[in-house]
Amino acid sequence: MYVRPAAAATAAFLGLTLTVFGATAASAAPGPDWLSNPIVYAHRGASAYAPENTLESIDRAMTMGFDWVENDVQRTKDGELVVIHDDTLLRTTNVKQVFPDRKSWRIKDFTAAEIRSLDAGSWFGPQFAGARVPTLREYMDRVQRNHQRLLLEIKKPELYPGIEEQTLRVLGETGWLDENHVSRRLVIQSFSSASIRTVHRLRPDIVTAYLGTPAVSELPKYAEFTDRINPWYKTIDGDWVDAVHGLAGAHGKAMEVDAWIVDDAETARQVQDLGVDGIITDKPDVVRNAVGGY
């Protein structure tokens, strides 16, 4: 993710200081190497090294030196937002052992207290026994304590009507909707264009991203309500990335591209050569070593 010349020139013309993750366009004085280094996002935390979407996973990302973490947000039966990827509890918890007689193991059919009783770490390794599925409030407090930044995914919003408003409410109550957080430390993304439109309507100051690979001809309509297009790396080429970069997004700046999920050095370098702004990965150390990201 970098300060493009056009954006920097616009800022200078307006007499503004263009800030990107704490560095100004003037003070950073980026050279070619800096411009080519993508942001590295720890996908579900450092999820190759700790159970995904747990506090342990984002703590591991912190100790490895990564600012940006990614997570997934869903809602319980009694209305609590929790951080978990799948819409069922089967893969990453011991729900089948604790609640063997339930007909469904979907998150939406369990209360927050029931989910809190589950072990979300032993599946990954015995050293993580007792890890829990965190609530969004717990997660935001830990990200704040760790001085990290967050790429937050609203997961399957069609299952949870009103989850956009509720997510924003929790972010506000945990101190994440002030100018500092919104401008430097928060991005909200979703596979649902309707969900991202809703977030943009409710809080047009928040940077948003659409997950997917729209056709080049469709990109202008996405630029009306989002700032980034975040694709699966196998679905893009350099021309597509250039097409995204050639459009101004919802905040009037060149749109960006963060590709997922890249976990090996060779692929990371190939994706970097396409000109992406960020790489989302389970193995942030491997990608950082390969591309010099930060």
Side-chain angles (χ1 to χ4, degrees), residues 120-136:
S122 291
W123 70 274
F124 191 89
Q127 70 272 35
F128 294 107
R132 303 300 175 193
V133 175
T135 67
L136 181 58

Side-chain angles (χ1 to χ4, degrees), residues 230-283:
N230 292 354
W232 184 30
Y233 77 93
K234 290 186 177 182
T235 65
I236 62 174
D237 58 23
D239 290 340
W240 186 89
V241 173
D242 288 344
V244 177
H245 285 165
L247 293 170
H251 288 97
K253 299 178 182 179
M255 295 185 75
E256 300 183 3
V257 176
D258 300 327
W260 48 270
I261 302 294
V262 178
D263 288 337
D264 68 275
E266 181 180 358
T267 303
R269 286 188 287 266
Q270 292 171 354
V271 172
Q272 178 187 31
D273 288 344
L274 299 180
V276 301
D277 304 280
I279 296 176
I280 303 169
T281 174
D282 297 336
K283 298 181 178 180

